[in-house]
DNA sequence: GATGAATGAGCATTCATTCAT
DNA sequence: GATGAATGAATGCTCATTCAT
């Protein structure tokens, strides 16, 4: 007999997969239940609502993400190394929580409108502070170019990394670290040959 | 008095705005009608269905996009100049069809499953051929780096450009051309200072 | 330019045809308008409502039917000859008003519930009185069998005649009079060979 | 506690009653639900659609009808006895499935246009073959009159029997067998006194 | 822990009807 | 006489959720 928290995880993983594939709104509770081999009503023994399922999926993911990010940010690295570490950590999270990341990308804007999901906005703010701050520090330190709009750069780097969740498939050709390495190489040095 | 095609356009613009903001599924026909100052049923005088609205929004956009892309591709430019022209053209399209682009980004995967939207898949294929081909040509010509996974590079450049639709607001600080210039600068030369 | 009453007739004939083919409820005003080469709204210049169209179709038919029936009933014929004349007259009406008869058969029960269509019920009553009365007279006179339930006989004869509207096509192989002759022959003498 | 198939039957019986009384199109799903003491949406737990309800009603009826008919047709009876048995069987079916028969009479033409109801057309064809064949055999054998249009006779007998569903009420004065006996007597020997 | 059956609110869509032009 | 555009009520259907068993 599976212990309750394990069963919960299992169900949430199933739900996350379906949410990621079909979108939160387009996913019916019945579909999740089907995938989990039970009837729709039975899910309500485990969860209060469909909303609380995404909630748990996203908050679990964000908790882990911030554990990793905070560790990086508190490590006292230089701006370039911080960026490198954040990107690498991000791809690791994508690897571990692909579905959750995809949901986050697609649905967080909608969900953030609901009070219970305000933490998404908070996270967004913290996120921006971390990345933008690091980039600014890098510009000040002379490691990043000064001729670029810093907010544009921020969006560029941020999106560049996270959209990867839309095509990334765990167990593919490249490890998350390898993908991070190539992405960083492109972001930092560009794709053109230096002449 | 508004001519019929003008009214259609007006309504589609309204619909596109709402679809982009709330997502296709989460958007009710009633909401669109509200926004257009009419009753839900009245929309059906102009359109067959909610589906045919997105259809017209997306196909109009893609038609225009490909007009621009085809012009670039047939201009006989070198790989670097082609990439530059495609990126610039893309940002111009984002400027002109922000809502449509956002819808395309968020919903095309779902919609492409329906027969009537197979042209989305076709477009996707043509798109990949155009960009990937140009990148490969660039690598062969020695203008793009050879040490990068070419498909990774493709996704990097592609996503980098189109996600911009999620935050871009027409009439903002930068013109589409200026944004294109800075994006290109980052993509081609990187964000780090060459030492 | 067509005079108004002629145009009305034309439109009603069109409507009757569609009502008969698709059923009253299933027929949309738009469909009738299409068939008449105009827009749905334009019909309302000629008629108050869809209901008033069937109303006019049915009442016109019933007026003519009763003109014929009354002539027969007042002719002072014997029971057998009366039945023969009524059946013949009925097939002539089916020939002239096929669509109206078909509508009457299919929809009168529903429509009779509405106050404006109470004349359908009245007609039904008169109808029963005429047929049932004649049959009873025939039984009393010894021209019709006495061993049959008279109401059953009435229904038998009535249905037998009118259902023909569901398959009858004007201009077919047999004239209405010929069909009447054969029907009467079956009803009166049976289909089996007398041994 | 009602078992599932029993509940289904119950609901279908309710639906059939309403369909027969108001017509398929004019019957709203809400009305059926009202009659069944539940909400409209609840019906969809048991059935896919309004269409699938008529489908099940009609196909169940036809299955039973053909069981009876086939038994008769395979019994090797003479033409007259076959007609007698078919008519009797028909009235028994009307007795058992009055609502279904009424629906079949009124709606099958419309419904047969839909692919899922093609079996209605098939049944119609088989039906015609059975009756017409028997009549032809009877004419050849000299038990039925030769001076009648055989197709007219077929329609006469067919309609004569089935329209009865429009007025028949189970539990009435006459048993189905008695009605069949009188109908057969009229059809075979006529209503007039042989002089 | 799970099922079966039902709720109730909401949704896309249809359609008879209206009316200014 | 007819059109184009809109109304508003109703319809079939979906779906998250509840709850007795």
């Amino acid at each position: 007999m599976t212990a309750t928290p394990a069963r919960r995880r299992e169900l949430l993983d199933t739900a996350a997969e379906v949410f990621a594939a079909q979108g939160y709104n387009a996913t019916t509770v019945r579909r999740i239940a089907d995938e989990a081999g039970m009837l729709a009503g039975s899910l309500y023994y485990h969860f209060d609502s469909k909303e609380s399922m995404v909630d748990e999926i996203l908050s679990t993911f964000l908790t882990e993400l911030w554990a990793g990010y905070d560790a990086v940010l508190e490590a006292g690295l230089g701006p370039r190394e911080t960026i490198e570490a954040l990107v690498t950590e991000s791809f690791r999270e994508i690897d571990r929580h692909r579905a959750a990341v995809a949901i986050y990308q697609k649905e967080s804007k909608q969900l953030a409108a609901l009070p219970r999901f305000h933490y998404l906005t908070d996270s967004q703010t913290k996120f921006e502070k971390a990345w933008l701050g690091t980039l600014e520090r890098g510009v000040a330190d002379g490691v990043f170019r000064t001729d670029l709009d810093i907010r544009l750069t921020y969006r560029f780097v941020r999106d560049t990394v996270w959209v990867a969740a839309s095509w990334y498939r765990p167990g593919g050709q490249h490890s998350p670290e390898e993908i991070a390495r190539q992405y960083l190489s492109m972001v930092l040095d560009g794709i053109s040959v230096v002449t």
Side-chain angles (χ1 to χ4, degrees), chain A:
Chain A
M1 194 178 38
T2 18
T4 291
R7 187 79 177 108
R8 248 185 122 70
R9 244 310 101 203
E10 224 173 283
L11 292 172
L12 284 176
D13 284 349
T14 304
E17 223 54 59
V18 188
F19 285 146
Q22 330 229 307
Y24 173 68
N25 276 299
T27 299
T28 68
V29 151
R30 191 185 193 139
R31 179 67 206 283
I32 299 172
D34 276 1
E35 216 76 24
M38 50 169 60
L39 290 177
S42 308
L43 276 176
Y44 287 79
Y45 178 82
H46 301 277
F47 304 99
D48 281 350
S49 63
K50 186 179 161 187
E51 221 175 86
S52 75
M53 290 188 227
V54 227
D55 192 345
E56 198 163 336
I57 290 166
L58 291 177
S59 56
T60 299
F61 155 61
L62 283 179
T63 301
E64 239 188 88
L65 176 70
W66 279 107
Y69 269 28
D70 284 340
V72 168
L73 294 169
E74 289 158 8
L77 304 170
R80 184 182 169 120
E81 289 71 28
T82 301
I83 291 290
E84 286 173 349
L86 287 176
V87 167
T88 306
E89 178 61 22
S90 299
F91 277 105
R92 282 204 193 102
E93 294 298 334
I94 292 175
D95 186 54
R96 259 203 293 274
H97 298 289
R98 196 196 84 269
V101 175
I103 297 166
Y104 182 80
Q105 289 288 108
K106 247 206 268 187
E107 321 284 357
S108 68
K109 209 169 162 187
Q110 301 303 322
L111 294 174
L114 307 171
R116 96 183 285 172
F117 288 100
H118 278 353
Y119 67 88
L120 292 174
T121 314
D122 299 344
S123 180
Q124 196 78 7
T125 309
K126 263 183 80 184
F127 197 92
E128 179 170 339
K129 200 173 302 180
W131 285 84
L132 202 51
T134 308
L135 287 172
E136 279 164 348
R137 197 148 53 91
V139 170
D141 289 8
V143 285
F144 296 141
R145 291 166 55 184
T146 56
D147 61 332
L148 296 170
D149 180 307
I150 192 83
R151 295 198 63 83
L152 219 60
T153 312
Y154 160 59
R155 289 193 192 112
F156 172 75
V157 177
R158 174 197 66 187
D159 293 347
T160 273
V161 170
W162 292 109
V163 227
S166 68
W167 54 259
Y168 183 75
R169 289 292 163 273
Q173 201 181 341
H174 302 299
S175 69
E177 286 78 10
E178 171 61 13
I179 295 181
R181 215 189 45 73
Q182 294 217 24
Y183 258 67
L184 277 166
S185 174
M186 289 188 270
V187 169
L188 294 170
D189 304 322
I191 67 170
S192 68
V193 168
V194 184
T195 51

